[in-house]
Amino acid sequence: MINLQEIESEIKDILNGYMKIPSFSQSKDEKEAVDYVIKILKKEPYFKQNPDQLGSYRIFRDPLERKVGYALVLPTEGRDLDKPIKTVCLLHHCDVVGIEDYGTLGEDAFDGEKVEQYLLEEWEENKENELIRDLKSGEYLFGRGSCDMKGGGAVQIAITARYSREKFRPGALLLLCVPDEENLSAGMRGGMPLLSELRKKYCLDYRMMINSEPNQHVISEGSIGKMMPFLYVDGVVSHVGSIFQGANPVNILSKIVEKIDMSMEFCEQDGDEVTPPPTWLFAKDRKKTYDVSIPKAACGCFNLLTFSMEPKEVIKRLEKISIRCMEDFYKERRTAFARYEKMGGTGKLMEWEPSILSFGGLFEEVRKSQNDSRRFQKLWEKKLEEIREELGKGESNLIEETFSAVEYLLEQWKENVPKIIYGLIPPYYPSVSNRRNEGLTKVQKEAGKETAERMGYRLEQYFKGISDLSYTSLENPLDMDRILKETMPFYPNLYQIPVKEMGENQMPCLNIGPLGKDLHQRTERVWKKDLYENLAKGIGETIEKLWADPE
């Protein structure tokens, strides 16, 4: 048994220092947060005796040179040396969102007491509501990062420290502290090779990954998936007085937007859980200045949350929708021109054979059209390097650079016909669910249900907030690698998903976190009773059950 008596004071001390670090996502201060975790655990006698089991792992090609923190506590002597070590992983992210919404508080946003006082003064004239009740109760800790998710992280660090002090340890415990969860999950993706290295070096058998994201007293046995499909419509330019000699990409894109936005055809139902319908995040033409011409191009991307739908199926749907919308555009155009002529209008109706391609299809068409394919490949690699530099400087983003890459290829092709190019923009979060994993032991299968019953929580299959747990397993690594290369412009050059390591290190997952409210808002808060009592006990008991698994 892990001795968790009087752990409250340890959690408070750890969290107090942890919250003070302004480790904003996509900043160098994320490294400071990782260093803080290592500094805390370095004080433990176990890690003084085993320094190679505590440290940081550099994220490959990360422009900010960020790293993943890790601490591995191995079992005591007496275990069967011929068998892999049953290992439970504790995962949390150390980055936080910005503090702009805290106004004049500035960096006092990381001080729970000051935030509480600030909010009390601001809201004292307001009527009684949930926030006022929580403020007056003294039962919640406020401040940026308290809830999402340095609170849960502090509990995990304290559990790791306590376990390292135990005289009898039946299994291994691996703590992972990752940056960038609030952005592209570079930490979790970049940390998967570390899991492979540790597994091989210490003969580890990963039995469960436990995350501690805040929730509404729910235990999650998986995590929802997320994709960001894009469509780029290349039209044919004409003067607005001769629109039937051109093809307006805004018209075509608007048809696609209408077909997809809030479309229930993209929703998935699993038991009593349902994914929200898709919605567009970005849709606009590519004009940079005003003139009286039809825009040359229009583009957009939408958010899609999934339970079981994979990129392959989404891409097929995009192709079908694109074909249908192009056909509708041509049909409406012909009808409009016929009516225009009847009214006495003059001119010519131009028609072309349109091209509808995935990004990979576009790349192949352009490559085949070049006289010197080797030179083209070198120029493409140079373009990718330029994009990498722009992203590294923070002067651009993956959405804009995806469309820039499409435009670069279209410039090389010089086919002046209407086109629709479709694909995926990073990030991609695969959906994961323990219930889909057929290779689990009885203890692993029932871990979520038993934890929920012990803690008095509700059980759900998917954590809906999008999380790093998405990278704990992958059913078809080779197939996924192929489809991502076909559809995602920067994979694997500028954006990597470690499909090989995800396949190697497959493990079930749980989210066991504290009650939290108003994530990413200035009223962000976490329930102290969960933070200082319930969470450590709940996680500790789950770890022990997994170590005692006879299978």
Side-chain angles (χ1 to χ4, degrees), residues 278-291:
T279 193
W280 288 77
L281 305 173
F282 180 99
K284 60 184 287 187
D285 66 72
R286 298 292 282 173
K287 267 195 172 187
K288 292 181 172 60
T289 58
Y290 167 78
D291 61 31

Side-chain angles (χ1 to χ4, degrees), residues 38 42 45-56 70 202:
I38 295 169
K42 255 185 181 176
Y46 178 86
F47 291 111
K48 288 178 181 178
Q49 294 167 15
N50 301 279
D52 57 330
Q53 291 166 219
L54 174 68
S56 60
Y70 67 93
Y202 296 102

Side-chain angles (χ1 to χ4, degrees), residues 138-356:
E139 293 179 359
Y140 286 83
L141 175 67
F142 286 76
R144 177 62 79 230
S146 60
C147 173
D148 188 15
M149 66 169 290
K150 288 181 177 177
V155 174
Q156 291 187 355
I157 297 163
I159 290 173
T160 305
R162 283 294 181 97
Y163 184 54
S164 75
R165 300 170 202 161
E166 293 293 313
K167 290 181 179 179
F168 175 71
R169 299 187 296 270
L173 187 65
L174 174 61
L175 173 73
L176 295 172
C177 166
V178 300
D180 199 54
E181 191 271 352
E182 301 290 3
N183 185 45
L184 297 173
S185 285
M188 186 61 179
R189 290 184 294 107
M192 290 307 292
L194 168 66
L195 282 175
S196 292
E197 289 181 18
L198 294 174
R199 176 176 55 81
K200 293 170 186 173
K201 183 176 180 180
Y202 296 102
C203 195
L204 305 180
D205 176 12
Y206 295 129
R207 289 302 181 105
M208 187 71 71
M209 178 81 77
I210 298 175
N211 199 0
S212 296
E213 290 276 9
N215 55 73
Q216 298 299 302
H217 279 165
V218 177
I219 301 296
S220 307
E221 296 183 293
S223 194
I224 200 167
K226 170 187 162 65
M227 286 180 246
M228 193 154 61
F230 78 85
L231 292 109
Y232 185 103
V233 183
D234 191 42
V236 177
V237 177
S238 74
H239 190 281
V240 293
S242 310
I243 62 168
F244 294 108
Q245 292 181 29
N248 196 328
V250 173
N251 186 312
I252 301 168
L253 181 63
S254 66
K255 287 177 168 52
I256 296 171
V257 169
E258 187 177 13
K259 279 272 188 285
I260 292 173
D261 200 64
M262 294 188 294
S263 169
M264 299 309 293
E265 291 180 15
F266 281 91
C267 287
E268 295 183 89
Q269 186 168 12
D270 197 328
D272 59 356
E273 298 180 50
V274 184
T275 61
T279 193
W280 288 77
L281 305 173
F282 180 99
K284 60 184 287 187
D285 66 72
R286 298 292 282 173
K287 267 195 172 187
K288 292 181 172 60
T289 58
Y290 167 78
D291 61 31
V292 286
S293 300
I294 288 172
K296 177 72 174 82
C299 56
C301 59
F302 63 94
N303 186 75
L304 179 63
L305 300 176
T306 66
F307 285 159
S308 60
M309 199 182 306
E310 294 191 349
K312 187 193 306 183
E313 184 180 346
V314 173
I315 291 302
K316 284 181 181 177
R317 292 190 184 198
L318 292 183
E319 182 182 25
K320 286 181 182 178
I321 290 170
S322 296
I323 290 170
R324 184 175 171 185
C325 289
M326 186 67 85
E327 289 172 348
D328 289 347
F329 169 71
Y330 269 57
K331 184 178 178 181
E332 289 176 11
R333 196 164 166 271
R334 291 177 191 126
T335 301
F337 183 72
R339 290 185 64 187
Y340 177 68
E341 278 193 316
K342 228 178 216 184
M343 293 171 69
T346 59
K348 186 178 180 182
L349 176 66
M350 296 289 292
E351 294 211 350
W352 311 265
E353 185 67 34
S355 292
I356 297 173

